[in-house]
Amino acid sequence: KQEVTQIPAALSVPEGENLVLNCSFTDSAIYNLQWFRQDPGKGLTSLLLIQSSQREQTSGRLNASLDKSSGRSTLYIAASQPGDSATYLCAVKDNNNDMRFGAGTRLTVKP
Amino acid sequence: DAGITQSPRHKVTETGTPVTLRCHQTENHRYMYWYRQDPGHGLRLIHYSYGVKDTDKGEVSDGYSVSRSKTEDFLLTLESATSSQTSVYFCAISEWRGPTDTQYFGPGTRLTVL
């Protein structure tokens, strides 16, 4: 059974700082990995999706990397802003359409 | 939001009563999913559908049933609600581009079982 872990559970940084969120998974036989953002009381917003054959994806100030062999993915946020404050979730999908989520990292960017 | 709506958005019910949650999508996506989100557990898959009348169980399917009689609607039913089913329920769809899919989520339904 795939297990997905996100460390740290919470992170607080000053505005403008670059930061990295970590996601690790136990089974490297994945189909894809997706990063989401969730604001309090809201649904999930898809940020980036990395296929199993890819190493990274970029969207604006966000960059996600994938290293299947080590079971790790990182989400890099450049020049953080208070509006980036949210919980960030990673989810790993296997070849049987089973998607497993991490518990998330709650990010606070202080003005 | 990929045209996903959920109803109701909030519901309070009593133990033992039946409850049906509805997910509606407007973009003809084949795959639809129901998740629940609980503190300490993250999101867990309850059931999913890969077409009209085609459904399969997820990680936490006990106590839940689903139906999909039309492409646009995916219903989640709690036949006899229990307090352990108090949760936030999210519907999602898969949007396929080439060889892979991206999941998009609805706004969620907060269910409280007293």
Side-chain angles (χ1 to χ4, degrees), chain B residues 4-5 8 14 18 29 31 35 46 50 65 96-97 103 105 107:
Chain B
I4 306 167
T5 57
E14 293 187 350
H29 296 291
Y31 281 80
Y35 292 89
I46 305 170
Y50 47 97
S65 62
W96 287 83
R97 290 178 184 160
Q103 286 201 12
F105 284 73

Side-chain angles (χ1 to χ4, degrees), chain B residues 42-101:
Chain B
L43 275 98
R44 292 176 292 174
L45 181 66
I46 305 170
H47 282 280
Y48 70 96
S49 170
Y50 47 97
V52 173
K53 296 191 184 338
D54 293 323
T55 64
D56 206 348
K57 295 179 180 179
E59 182 185 0
V60 290
S61 59
D62 287 348
Y64 302 94
S65 62
V66 290
S67 65
R68 192 162 178 206
S69 58
K70 299 185 290 184
T71 299
E72 58 265 36
D73 289 325
F74 191 31
L75 304 181
L76 177 71
T77 298
L78 292 64
E79 300 290 349
S80 178
T82 67
S83 58
S84 65
Q85 293 176 311
T86 292
S87 186
V88 181
Y89 291 85
F90 288 100
C91 174
I93 60 90
S94 278
E95 182 175 270
W96 287 83
R97 290 178 184 160
T100 195
D101 67 299

Side-chain angles (χ1 to χ4, degrees), chain A residues 30-83:
Chain A
I30 69 170
Y31 184 73
N32 64 36
L33 184 145
Q34 198 166 350
W35 281 94
F36 295 89
R37 167 188 174 134
Q38 186 175 30
D39 294 288
K42 304 290 186 182
L44 281 69
T45 299
S46 179
L47 297 174
L48 289 165
L49 177 118
I50 310 178
Q51 299 179 43
S52 62
S53 59
Q54 298 176 324
R55 297 281 294 183
E56 66 177 347
Q57 284 287 328
T58 297
S59 176
R61 295 183 292 109
L62 305 180
N63 176 277
S65 68
L66 174 64
D67 183 344
K68 281 196 308 180
S69 61
S70 66
R72 300 172 75 172
S73 175
T74 62
L75 180 67
Y76 174 82
I77 302 177
S80 59
Q81 303 169 359

